Amino acid sequence: MIEHLQQVSAMTQKGRHAVVIMDGAGWHTEDIADRFENISILKLPPYSPELNPIEQVWSWLRQHCLANQSFRDYNDIVDKVCAAWNQFLASTKRVSRMCSREWINLTS
């Protein structure tokens, strides 16, 4: 996570400030951005998957590709998850619809 924030910090234009929105994962701690002067953390409220687009992606993957599966081994898991991911990505309209949020749009 620190490496990700280092990249965000480096790409943030001088004089600007980045706000990184995080869910409640255990490694998403409030103090993680303290070392960066140009980043603040905004935590999503608990139990609010509708605010986090990736939650809809995980749900779609489970419902359409990964539910009721058995796996032979680690490589079988990786293969099936990659196939599911590629199936999800096959429709750019689906990706845009499920991963877009009007409140996330930063262009004006």
Side-chain angles (χ1 to χ4, degrees):
M1 195 64 206
I2 295 296
E3 288 181 29
H4 174 71
L5 292 179
Q6 285 172 336
Q7 291 177 15
V8 171
S9 178
M11 295 304 295
T12 301
Q13 294 176 359
K14 189 170 179 78
R16 303 291 299 229
H17 194 86
V19 177
V20 178
I21 300 171
M22 295 184 178
D23 62 14
W27 57 88
H28 294 165
T29 58
E30 298 284 343
D31 63 340
I32 199 164
D34 286 353
R35 67 178 76 185
F36 304 101
E37 293 183 16
N38 62 342
I39 296 178
S40 295
I41 303 297
L42 177 64
K43 300 273 289 211
L44 291 173
Y47 309 107
S48 56
E50 70 281 358
L51 298 178
N52 190 353
I54 197 65
E55 297 296 339
Q56 279 72 51
V57 174
W58 301 140
S59 178
W60 187 93
L61 290 171
R62 283 190 305 272
Q63 290 174 9
H64 293 90
C65 304
L66 299 173
N68 300 318
Q69 293 274 337
S70 60
F71 305 99
R72 289 185 308 276
D73 55 23
Y74 173 80
N75 289 331
D76 191 37
I77 294 170
V78 171
D79 290 344
K80 288 180 178 175
V81 169
C82 286
W85 183 251
N86 288 333
Q87 185 177 342
F88 174 74
L89 293 178
S91 169
T92 55
K93 286 183 181 181
R94 175 177 42 241
V95 173
S96 294
R97 184 182 72 247
M98 293 180 71
C99 296
S100 297
R101 296 293 184 274
E102 200 165 308
W103 60 270
I104 293 176
N105 186 358
L106 300 177
T107 58
S108 45

